[in-house]
Amino acid sequence: MDYRRFFEDAIDQLHAEKRYRVFANLERIVGKFPRALWRSSEATREITVWCSNDYLGMGQHPKVIAAMHDASSRMGSGAGGTRNISGNNHPLVELEAELADLHDKEAGLVFTSGFVSNEASISTIARLLPNCLILSDELNHASMIEGVKRSGAEKRIFRHNDLAHLEELLKAAGRERAKLIVFESIYSMDGDIAPIGAIADLAEKYNAMTYIDEVHAVGMYGERGGGITDREGLSHRIDIIEGTLAKAFGTLGGYITGPKSVIDAVRSYAPGFIFTTALPPVIAAASTESIRHLKVSQEERRLHQQQAQLTKHVLAQANLPVMPSETHIVPIHVGDPELCKKASDRLLEKHGIYIQPINYPTVPRGTERLRVTPTPFHTNELIVELKDALVEVWTALGIPFSKDSTPVPESNNRVITLAVSKAGG
């Protein structure tokens, strides 16, 4: 049997559907974020990254880098194994205490990634609850879906942010049955926000447990960077708050926070935690420093929101099809996988701008898009450069503008002035 052929056929299928993914060879430059070196077969060029999830640039913050250097000089690079074998390295103990405090919870538990934290935690919690029914938002992340599957529990999918549908499912299950509602605060492909307070109301009414994914909100929202639950004063109403260290905090890893009993149960029963090497002390120390900084500093969040709003306004004024978004996520509709890839390639090769195409299965077919994530370090000038480049690409490839017409050119200064005015700046 030609085993290799099965894998070649699988890759050929991706090519045929125009959704084969190519990763750019990038090297970030400390002190020049969001600039990076792009290494291709032809040459090495400096480009601007517009799709990083290092939302606040904390991966290059001097305090974070210094904490990592200090930890590596004192404790080395690796963790030495799983915690069951090697114990807790002290920076991990500090990090978990910092995370519990961030979300006003009794305890925290750190995993090697956000994907693992969701998969391991959801599957373990639901498996330990007798006859548990999981109610999952239809747009939940793949890691949450995997956690639901691995739990072996019965599940019901409720329509995205549809409170009436969720209540219908909760009511049918009855108050006495164990129920776990799993949802996100910010849905990263569309940038919309869940009705967290209303979901908490339903959970209380029908005696359900709640689990929220805050990965695209921690660090960026709330007085201390605790996410949307922090901003809206709802942390105490959600049982389990999950987050990541790999986005706004600029490092690596995922975590959950919640009641001590639940955290201890996940620690004791989740294979994804028990049999995985612990996060290295250098990463834990850098993460703790990043969290501590963002708990007290508002400047990064202020500039982040300002530049995100400015980007939306400048692109919208250029008739580019910016999709509705309540948050810092700026999705630009393309609607075709091949055009989406061509647009990404042209932006990089012609304009030195990197934006990875977002195609199925990450988003539904027909909603393919470019996903722009402005940071505090994307200056007004870079925003105008992005607008000009997108207009050129949309025109060259024949991608429809939002008003089905090429925009009337405006001077860079006028675009910025109008955008700031509309944004209230």
Side-chain angles (χ1 to χ4, degrees):
M1 181 180 290
D2 184 5
Y3 288 102
R4 188 177 303 178
R5 187 61 209 164
F6 291 103
F7 302 100
E8 292 171 349
D9 287 345
I11 296 300
D12 288 344
Q13 181 66 27
L14 293 178
H15 281 291
E17 295 178 6
K18 308 299 182 184
R19 58 186 186 94
Y20 178 76
R21 302 183 186 210
V22 178
F23 302 144
N25 183 352
L26 302 178
E27 181 180 328
R28 304 208 306 171
I29 308 169
V30 171
K32 296 185 72 174
F33 184 82
R35 303 289 285 173
L37 296 178
W38 171 43
R39 301 184 185 277
S40 67
S41 56
E42 291 80 23
T44 298
R45 292 172 54 193
E46 190 171 309
I47 55 96
T48 302
V49 177
W50 270 99
C51 58
S52 173
N53 282 344
D54 187 358
Y55 292 130
L56 301 179
M58 291 300 293
Q60 298 189 19
H61 195 286
K63 288 183 180 179
V64 176
I65 294 174
M68 182 173 281
H69 284 171
D70 175 67
S72 65
S73 66
R74 292 187 295 110
M75 288 171 276
S77 60
T82 68
R83 296 207 224 176
N84 290 296
I85 292 174
S86 300
N88 284 328
N89 63 68
H90 183 62
L92 262 181
V93 176
E94 291 185 306
L95 173 58
E96 288 175 342
E98 203 69 43
L99 289 165
D101 175 76
L102 176 66
H103 295 294
D104 295 319
K105 298 299 183 186
E106 293 178 347
L109 190 67
V110 169
F111 298 78
T112 49
S113 76
F115 191 103
V116 174
S117 63
N118 269 333
E119 181 185 48
S121 301
I122 293 172
S123 62
T124 302
I125 291 168
R127 194 165 58 246
L128 291 176
L129 291 171
N131 191 30
C132 180
L133 174 67
I134 299 179
L135 300 112
S136 177
D137 188 288
E138 67 177 335
L139 294 189
N140 276 341
H141 188 263
S143 59
M144 304 178 81
I145 295 171
E146 284 301 310
V148 172
K149 288 179 180 177
R150 288 182 60 83
S151 72
E154 184 181 359
K155 70 176 186 296
R156 291 286 185 271
I157 308 301
F158 62 92
R159 291 185 292 273
H160 179 54
N161 284 347
D162 189 329
L163 294 170
H165 190 208
L166 175 59
E167 181 165 21
E168 177 185 320
L169 297 174
L170 286 165
K171 188 174 183 179
R175 279 187 54 83
E176 300 309 312
R177 185 176 184 182
K179 298 172 291 298
L180 178 65
I181 305 172
V182 295
F183 64 109
E184 302 182 39
S185 63
I186 293 177
Y187 291 84
S188 64
M189 290 301 116
D190 294 317
D192 58 334
I193 298 174
I196 302 172
I199 290 176
D201 289 341
L202 290 177
E204 291 174 8
K205 181 178 179 180
Y206 292 98
N207 192 28
M209 192 174 178
T210 49
Y211 180 110
I212 192 170
D213 177 315
E214 284 260 40
V215 297
H216 291 277
V218 290
M220 296 173 291
Y221 297 88
E223 186 66 23
R224 299 196 309 153
I228 302 298
T229 49
D230 178 15
R231 186 187 73 177
E232 299 181 4
L234 294 170
S235 300
H236 66 289
R237 300 191 64 200
I238 301 298
D239 295 299
I240 303 295
I241 297 178
E242 186 266 352
T244 186
L245 305 168
K247 293 182 171 62
F249 294 127
T251 58
L252 177 72
Y255 65 87
I256 59 170
T257 62
K260 285 182 181 179
S261 58
V262 179
I263 301 303
D264 197 21
V266 173
R267 181 189 69 85
S268 302
Y269 282 90
F273 174 83
I274 295 170
F275 300 106
T276 299
T277 298
L279 207 65
V282 292
I283 300 295
S287 301
T288 298
E289 186 60 41
S290 182
I291 295 165
R292 285 174 178 168
H293 175 80
L294 290 174
K295 277 182 177 178
V296 297
S297 175
Q298 302 300 326
E299 187 64 7
E300 290 84 3
R301 285 189 279 277
R302 184 188 68 79
L303 285 172
H304 180 243
Q305 289 298 314
Q306 173 184 294
Q307 296 309 97
Q309 292 303 316
L310 184 59
T311 302
K312 291 179 186 179
H313 283 298
V314 169
L315 300 188
Q317 286 178 356
N319 290 344
L320 288 157
V322 179
M323 301 168 70
S325 167
E326 303 173 67
T327 60
H328 59 282
I329 307 294
V330 187
I332 308 168
H333 184 264
V334 178
D336 177 272
E338 186 170 13
L339 281 178
C340 205
K341 178 67 168 62
K342 285 182 177 180
S344 176
D345 290 345
R346 189 176 181 90
L347 281 168
L348 185 57
E349 293 161 7
K350 183 177 177 63
H351 300 283
I353 289 174
Y354 175 63
I355 308 175
Q356 183 73 357
I358 306 295
N359 290 336
Y360 176 85
T362 305
V363 295
R365 298 182 195 273
T367 70
E368 293 82 3
R369 68 199 65 180
L370 298 181
R371 177 181 173 272
V372 172
T373 53
T375 74
F377 299 94
H378 286 91
T379 63
N380 294 359
E381 291 72 25
L382 288 177
I383 293 171
V384 172
E385 287 178 14
L386 173 66
K387 181 266 299 180
D388 291 340
L390 287 168
V391 167
E392 190 281 330
V393 168
W394 252 242
T395 303
L397 298 181
I399 304 173
F401 286 85
S402 60
K403 298 177 183 178
D404 201 27
S405 63
T406 304
V408 177
E410 294 186 75
S411 72
N412 289 356
N413 287 338
R414 177 163 170 73
V415 170
I416 289 292
T417 301
L418 287 173
V420 171
S421 175
K422 286 189 176 182

